[in-house]
Amino acid sequence: MSESNYVIEMKNITKKFGDFTANNNINLQVKKGEIHALLGENGAGKSTLMNMLCGLLQPTSGEILINGNPVKITSPSAASKMKIGMVHQHFMLVKKFTVTENIILGSEPIIAGIVNLKHAKKEIENLSKQYNLDINPDALISDITVGMEQRVEILKTLYRGADILIFDEPTAVLTPQEIDELIKIIKGLAAEGKSIIIITHKLDEIRAVADRCTVIRRGEVIDTVEVANVQSQELADMMVGRSVSFKTEKAPAQPKEPVLEIKNLWVNESRGLPIVKGVDLTIHAGEVLGIAGVDGNGQSELIQAIAGLAKATNGSIHLNGKDITNHSPRYITKSGLGHIPEDRHKHGLVLDMSVEENIILQTYYKKPFSRMGFLDDKIISSYSLHLINEFDVRTPHEKVKVSALSGGNQQKAIIAREVDRNPELLIAAQPTRGLDVGAIEFIHKRLIDQRTHGKAVLLMSFELDEIMNVADRIAVMHDGKIVGIVKPEETNERELGLLMAGVKHDKSNVTVGGSNV
């Protein structure tokens, strides 16, 4: 084996898809035991580069060296033999299988023609202890949290002997506590001599965990820097190619008449148990109301009930004075609702349709897109291109399937569709999940624009800094109830955290007392 200071060297890597260049002459070097961040905007080419390292794609040109030796990584199984493992952003687990069955799938230990589950389970328990992953090997995947699912994915790569681990947007679906735990796990892996690559655009996490960072912009490497020697602002500016503002500029809100009025709303979750419990809430024209809370406290179901995606069992929802309780999503949309859904794949997009078809999903049956029952392709294409340009949706063209776009660009397509309709109430549920700082800045400005033009905005986010930055009032949910409404300028993250944990207090700026807020 030839000597090398680097575990991984990617030299002059170019990847083309037809006329589109996703990676252009990229060089990347990763040391043994290093945590190396790959930073870039949505669609910058980060995942494409890593998909070549784990065998899902082949480079158009360039070479890859592992421990100084040139290699051809022709498939994921070839990558696994080279001790490379990838923890994907969307986990690839079988829900009805146990943790052990998922981990050994495709690499089952066979003794005398029989799968030796006992031996596999023991090995998984040992790995779990060694890396502080704290996993129950007998648990069903359907019964564990998203954070635990991710640990199963990490164990899958370790079980196969990976020394190089690639994490694709590892914190996109985790709570703040799970993120802290994951950072500890990643540092532990590096301390054991594993080499880690993290694909991300979250600057705080890079500063918390990474040794070095390579910045990619529009398919090209801008620089590789020591994280300890660079400020977050410098990284953001390198990534986007201009100066980025972390603080959303806005004039004080001028709230007017009520747009959304919710009274004593009750909603059940999938098992038929109440998860929204007697919520009263009013949102006015000209304000952004933020909903804060730990995931699973009824925020998602509250929003689904407003949008017609979940049934209320009691109470009422009025939009512009019109009762929309338990009406169809189209009826509610026509009544003046725009909805940026929390789950963009399940409720926001039809993945097999093109970008332009998804952009007109809410309006295809109206003029000018439809005339006498026929769609006008020319007008649809022209309208879509206008929104693609205005909202900076990075796509080769408007006819490409929306499934081919990066997650962030899929999100921008939804936001373009919903904001351009100029609804009286815009619900934005986790609108910047998975987006880079430049896109987050852009989305926040659009939300504030809606509010400035006299529209009501309901922002639901698990990112407290986002809620504090954008909202004019913050309603905190715990155990299906609103336990307090606070103003961002009169509170802090510690106080919000206490409210989110259900701790009530009687400061003058907080309205407390269950759901009657």
Side-chain angles (χ1 to χ4, degrees):
M1 187 179 82
S2 66
E3 286 297 315
S4 172
N5 293 325
Y6 299 108
V7 175
I8 301 163
E9 290 177 89
M10 302 185 82
K11 293 186 173 181
N12 306 316
I13 297 290
T14 294
K15 178 63 181 174
K16 290 178 182 282
F17 297 95
D19 294 334
F20 176 68
T21 303
N23 294 145
N24 186 22
N25 207 35
I26 284 183
N27 290 286
L28 176 70
Q29 297 169 319
V30 181
K31 300 170 186 173
K32 181 178 171 64
E34 175 182 35
I35 302 173
H36 195 112
L38 204 55
L39 175 67
E41 290 182 280
N42 305 113
K46 309 180 297 291
S47 296
T48 301
L49 187 67
M50 288 300 100
N51 283 337
M52 287 185 275
L53 190 56
C54 70
L56 287 167
L57 292 172
Q58 305 304 309
T60 307
S61 60
E63 69 171 341
I64 299 171
L65 288 79
I66 305 294
N67 295 315
N69 298 312
V71 294
K72 297 277 185 205
I73 309 175
T74 52
S75 67
S77 60
S80 185
K81 283 174 188 165
M82 295 172 201
K83 301 195 171 183
I84 301 168
M86 187 163 180
V87 178
H88 294 273
Q89 185 177 356
H90 301 290
F91 307 143
M92 301 178 178
L93 300 171
V94 183
K95 295 281 186 186
K96 293 187 177 178
F97 281 15
T98 66
V99 166
T100 298
E101 288 165 342
N102 269 279
I103 288 170
I104 66 172
L105 195 60
S107 301
E108 296 88 347
I110 307 289
I111 296 175
I114 298 168
V115 175
N116 191 333
L117 271 175
K118 193 175 176 185
H119 174 79
K121 187 175 149 185
K122 187 71 187 160
E123 195 174 339
I124 288 161
E125 282 173 341
N126 290 339
L127 282 169
S128 181
K129 280 178 191 158
Q130 183 181 348
Y131 295 102
N132 296 312
L133 290 165
D134 190 27
I135 276 285
N136 173 7
D138 296 320
L140 284 173
I141 297 298
S142 56
D143 292 339
I144 64 176
T145 66
V146 171
M148 283 294 172
E149 284 187 39
Q150 187 173 59
R151 293 181 185 205
V152 175
E153 289 282 12
I154 295 168
L155 272 170
K156 254 168 76 174
T157 65
L158 295 172
Y159 180 79
R160 286 158 175 73
D163 286 332
I164 298 161
L165 281 83
I166 304 160
F167 289 85
D168 188 0
E169 301 288 355
T171 64
V173 292
L174 302 186
T175 65
Q177 293 83 356
E178 286 171 334
I179 291 168
D180 291 342
E181 288 166 11
L182 177 67
I183 286 171
K184 282 182 198 164
I185 290 165
I186 288 172
K187 286 183 171 177
L189 290 166
E192 293 263 352
K194 306 291 185 189
S195 302
I196 314 286
I197 300 175
I198 298 180
I199 306 171
T200 187
H201 43 242
K202 292 191 176 179
L203 302 173
D204 291 347
E205 284 159 24
I206 288 175
R207 300 200 64 76
V209 77
D211 302 305
R212 290 193 303 149
C213 175
T214 295
V215 182
I216 297 180
R217 185 166 77 236
R218 294 188 180 254
E220 297 184 353
V221 169
I222 302 302
D223 202 359
T224 297
V225 294
E226 298 282 341
V227 172
N229 300 337
V230 69
Q231 300 298 314
S232 294
Q233 186 70 53
E234 293 173 74
L235 287 172
D237 295 352
M238 267 196 280
M239 175 169 77
V240 180
R242 59 177 172 79
S243 182
V244 175
S245 171
F246 291 98
K247 183 74 181 160
T248 303
E249 297 299 323
K250 57 181 183 180
Q254 304 289 331
K256 300 181 182 68
E257 70 282 354
V259 171
L260 181 74
E261 294 175 281
I262 298 172
K263 290 182 179 168
N264 191 32
L265 188 72
W266 289 74
V267 182
N268 289 346
E269 40 92 288
S270 56
R271 294 171 298 173
L273 301 172
I275 192 161
V276 177
K277 303 172 183 177
V279 163
D280 293 334
L281 194 63
T282 301
I283 306 176
H284 300 86
E287 75 165 341
V288 178
L289 180 90
I291 294 186
V294 177
D295 191 10
N297 278 271
Q299 312 94 306
S300 300
E301 290 79 6
L302 171 63
I303 281 169
Q304 286 169 9
I306 298 167
L309 298 170
K311 292 292 181 193
T313 57
N314 197 10
S316 66
I317 307 166
H318 284 79
L319 181 59
N320 290 321
K322 184 191 286 187
D323 189 344
I324 60 165
T325 319
N326 292 338
H327 276 281
S328 70
R330 180 176 280 189
Y331 178 89
I332 295 167
T333 299
K334 282 181 169 179
S335 301
L337 178 78
H339 183 205
I340 301 162
E342 186 177 357
D343 187 333
R344 57 178 164 253
H345 287 172
K346 192 172 180 183
H347 295 130
L349 299 165
V350 181
L351 293 173
D352 278 342
M353 284 187 176
S354 68
V355 177
E356 67 177 12
E357 286 169 331
N358 274 279
I359 280 176
I360 62 156
L361 270 182
Q362 300 276 33
T363 46
Y364 69 89
Y365 57 91
K366 296 179 179 177
K367 289 182 178 179
F369 308 118
S370 176
R371 293 172 188 276
M372 296 189 296
F374 291 95
L375 294 174
D376 190 320
D377 288 340
K378 200 176 265 187
I379 287 175
I380 290 168
S381 186
S382 169
Y383 170 75
S384 301
L385 283 170
H386 165 68
L387 288 192
I388 285 165
N389 290 328
E390 186 182 342
F391 286 80
D392 191 28
V393 182
R394 308 271 174 90
T395 175
H397 51 81
E398 75 279 14
K399 309 252 182 227
V400 77
K401 275 190 181 180
V402 79
S403 58
L405 271 55
S406 71
N409 283 300
Q410 291 175 349
Q411 186 76 341
K412 285 196 258 185
I414 295 169
I415 289 165
R417 178 183 72 213
E418 298 302 319
V419 169
D420 192 67
R421 289 175 42 242
N422 202 24
E424 295 303 312
L425 170 67
L426 177 64
I427 295 177
Q430 297 278 72
T432 61
R433 175 187 273 176
L435 298 191
D436 58 71
V437 287
I440 289 169
E441 178 192 41
F442 178 80
I443 300 310
H444 287 173
K445 280 182 180 170
R446 297 308 296 236
L447 296 180
I448 296 299
D449 282 350
Q450 288 295 106
R451 166 260 225 193
T452 304
H453 287 98
K455 308 299 181 180
V457 178
L458 174 58
L459 168 66
M460 190 274 275
S461 176
F462 300 134
E463 306 278 351
L464 280 186
D465 56 350
E466 176 167 59
I467 292 269
M468 295 280 282
N469 188 20
V470 180
D472 301 306
R473 292 189 298 142
I474 303 169
V476 183
M477 283 192 77
H478 171 75
D479 190 28
K481 305 181 185 82
I482 291 174
V483 293
I485 292 190
V486 295
K487 292 187 174 177
E489 64 272 16
E490 296 171 354
T491 189
N492 54 50
E493 291 199 4
R494 183 179 176 279
E495 180 181 270
L496 284 175
L498 287 169
L499 280 168
M500 285 160 64
V503 178
K504 296 186 182 177
H505 54 110
D506 55 6
K507 282 181 66 175
S508 59
N509 63 306
V510 181
T511 314
V512 296
S515 60
N516 297 314
V517 181

